[in-house]
Each structure stands twice: as C-alpha cells, then as structure tokens.
Amino acid sequence: MLGAVIAVIADDISGAAELAGAALRHGLRAEVQTAFDPSADAEVICVDTDTRSLGASEAAPRTAETVRRVAEADPKWIYKKCDSVLRGNVRAELLAAMGAAGKARAILVSANPSRRRIVRGGQIFVGDLPLHDTAFARDPEHPRTTARIVDLLGGELGGVAAPDAESAADLVRHAAAVDGGILPAGGVEFFEALLRKEGCQAAARGEASRDSHPVTLAVCGSAASWPARRDQARALGLAVFSFPLEAAAIAAELRGRGPALVGIGDGPATRALAPAALASRLARVCAEVLALVPADRLLLEGGATAGAVIHRLGWRRLAACQVAAPGVGALRPVGQDRPLLLIKPGSYDWPPEIWG
C-alpha cells in the first residue's frame, strides 16, 4: 500500500461501510476489508476488526495487531472509527491503536451533529435528551446508563482529548487541530471534516440501485429497531419473517411477490437466545436463502448482523460502489456483480427511498 492511502480501523462492519460510503461521497475509491489487504486499489481502506462484542482483553490486542499491520504499510493517516454513543471497547481499543501507531495523543469526536448526536459539557445528547434518557439505555449489549463520556469510557484517557462538538463548525475546528502526532478517532462526520480539510469535496448522492425490480432481501438484527422496521415493511406491503425462520418460505416469497424483510423478531424464540447466537442464526438462514434465490440487493441493518452475514458468505473485501444516503454504505463483493450490499448501523433509520 502506498503512503497516499487513508486507513480506517472500525470495530464493526457497519461502521467500516459507513466510512467507506463517506469516502466515496468525497470522490475517493474505498474498500471495506475483514482482514487487511494492502494490495487493494483503493484510496481509503476500512478494516473491520469485528471487536464490538468482544471483551476488552480480546479486543485490544486484535486492534493493536491490525493497526501494526496497517502502520507497516505506511498509510497517509489512520482513523479509528468509534460508535457515536461509544458502545463497545472504545477506551481499550483506542489506547491499543495509539500504542501500535506510535501516537502519544488522540482526539475523540464521536458527535454527528447533522443527526442530532452531540457532545455538550462532556456529555452525549441525542436530540434534546441526555443519552441515558433515550432508548440506548436499554441496549441489550451496551446499555448507556450515563451520558458522561468519562464514565462511558470507564476512566480518564490520559493523552486522549474528547472535546465538545455541537455543530459542523466544531468538527471543522477539531479537524484543523489534528497533526501528525495525533490519532483522530470518532464518528463519520468528524472523518468527513478531516477529508474536507484535505480538499475532498462531497459529491451528489446517486441512486441506491439501477435495477427496476431488484430481488431485495432486508435483514434486521437490531432488537431496538425491529418493531419500527417490521411496521415500516408491512406498511410498504413487504412480507415479514421473524424467528423461527424457514429459508424455503423466504425464498419462495422473493421469487413471487418481491422484497422481504427477515429479522430476529421479539417473541419467545428471540428472547431465548443471546445476541451473538441471534446474529449467527440469522446469518445462517440468510446464506441458505441466497443459495436458493440469488439476491440483487441485501439491506443489512446492525453491525453485528451485517458482520455475521458477510463472514458466513465468505466475503473478505467489499468495494464501495455507489454514493448512497449518509450513514449507508453501498458495497459489492470484489470481483462480483451482485449482490449490492446496503449496510447501516442499527441505531439510524433507513432513508425512505432505499427500500425501493
């Protein structure tokens, strides 16, 4: 990899896809990888370490090893992607990345002001509410029971600054302060501010798909998003399937009426399984469905779900191929014409037009 390449280290596939989409919007060739491959013909390489759901003792060394391999390839700069509400092993991974990259300082800006996720007075707000007064307080894996960044991270960060950020102007100001001795980290909008600092300009958004009647399978593994996504799909006339799932029935629906939504649901079969087991079972069924009916589009919601599906199907490299809506990565497996993968975090809604 040449030194002109920007490297992103993300803890889940939806974050990697989101930043690859942002890079493409700013005129840069981008690729998502599940294992670092420096031979890619891309200007931005987003590596998914798949560490969001691991314990810190496993996540930190995996992150450090990935960053070491990336640093050896001499990238232009490295960005550590973190969740906007700091779920996962943010502190452990950031410290590990700093050590592996040889950086004594870092700046963490997780805010996405355009989506009303801001940092004020050292606390995260979603809209007008402090984080602990939102649905994130009931997150099944990473409940956000406080809004204070120091408490969310589990301690002071030493060489890491976590400044307030309430507006796009704040992001620009923080980006301007980043120099070669600082590891930048945070959300997609801070990453975009860094790209604009280098002269990259955002392009107009393209269409999510050029197929007039694409075979579309939407997959939702987010417990928090499932009720809204189920109701949205039914309002649009889509077939809805939840646990327990039968691949043959889903495939028949795709062959017949058209798009379908599959998800974990909220019944007894769902509540009996841990989040990792739910994602694994959902991925297995999706693979069985795609073996019966090749899809033109896969809408994958939630980082754990998207990661499980992609790993199950054996895709290690995904090229950003369309400028989609903000927050959505549009990718295709390298060397394949289909499916088009549309990936987003579980905590944001799909843009209405993307269901197509």
Side-chain angles (χ1 to χ4, degrees):
M1 182 173 71
L2 301 177
V5 173
I6 297 165
V8 172
I9 311 299
D11 66 354
D12 76 351
I13 200 80
S14 67
E18 184 180 24
L19 266 64
L24 191 67
R25 269 197 310 280
H26 285 77
L28 301 172
R29 297 187 308 278
E31 185 170 299
V32 170
Q33 301 180 350
T34 59
F36 178 57
D37 183 349
S39 68
D41 180 21
E43 295 164 290
V44 176
I45 295 178
C46 302
V47 185
D48 168 32
T49 58
D50 192 24
T51 48
R52 173 75 62 87
S53 298
L54 297 180
S57 62
E58 295 178 86
R62 183 184 295 187
T63 299
E65 178 58 29
T66 300
V67 174
R68 275 194 291 270
R69 291 200 303 268
V70 168
E72 287 171 358
D74 191 28
K76 189 174 184 179
W77 45 277
I78 296 173
Y79 187 81
K80 180 65 178 80
K81 169 66 170 69
C82 301
D83 181 61
S84 64
V85 295
L86 304 181
R87 290 171 295 184
N89 303 286
V90 176
R91 181 176 185 270
E93 292 190 25
L94 186 51
L95 293 175
M98 290 168 61
K103 307 290 185 183
R105 295 178 295 150
I107 181 170
L108 172 63
V109 184
S110 63
N112 288 325
S114 76
R115 297 176 226 180
R116 304 189 69 203
R117 295 191 185 180
I118 65 169
V119 177
R120 179 193 300 140
Q123 298 188 72
I124 296 177
F125 288 81
V126 179
D128 297 324
L129 297 175
L131 182 60
H132 57 271
D133 287 338
T134 71
F136 288 107
R138 300 182 295 278
D139 185 283
E141 281 195 274
H142 307 285
R144 307 287 80 187
T145 57
T146 177
R148 296 184 69 236
I149 286 180
V150 169
D151 294 336
L152 289 167
L153 295 177
E156 297 288 348
L157 281 176
V160 178
D164 287 359
E166 301 185 50
S167 67
D170 289 336
L171 300 181
V172 170
R173 179 164 50 84
H174 297 322
V178 175
D179 59 30
I182 295 175
L183 177 69
V188 63
E189 293 187 17
F190 185 43
F191 179 67
E192 290 175 320
L194 291 165
L195 294 181
R196 289 192 292 272
K197 174 186 175 183
E198 297 203 342
C200 300
Q201 298 298 318
R205 176 153 54 105
E207 295 298 322
S209 175
R210 284 177 281 183
D211 299 315
S212 57
H213 299 287
V215 176
T216 300
L217 179 63
V219 185
C220 177
S222 168
S225 299
W226 173 253
R229 205 64 64 239
R230 175 197 59 209
D231 294 346
Q232 184 181 20
R234 286 174 176 166
L236 292 168
L238 275 65
V240 176
F241 298 88
S242 60
F243 282 176
L245 297 166
E246 294 185 10
I250 300 166
E253 183 66 30
L254 291 175
R255 290 193 196 97
R257 287 202 307 138
L261 170 70
V262 300
I264 58 174
D266 51 14
T270 303
R271 293 190 292 270
L273 295 174
L278 290 170
S280 177
R281 185 170 296 185
L282 193 56
R284 176 177 57 79
V285 172
C286 288
E288 292 172 356
V289 171
L290 294 179
L292 296 170
V293 181
D296 299 304
R297 301 196 313 165
L298 273 180
L299 277 60
L300 301 177
E301 179 169 11
T305 300
V309 171
I310 287 167
H311 283 284
R312 182 84 187 193
L313 293 169
W315 294 325
R316 294 171 63 100
R317 295 174 55 196
L318 302 158
C321 58
Q322 291 183 8
V323 177
V328 177
L331 312 168
R332 278 198 180 89
V334 170
Q336 296 182 209
D337 293 331
R338 66 177 184 175
L340 173 68
L341 279 69
L342 298 169
I343 301 173
K344 76 165 190 67
S347 58
Y348 293 116
D349 286 335
W350 286 108
E353 71 274 14
I354 216 160
W355 289 69

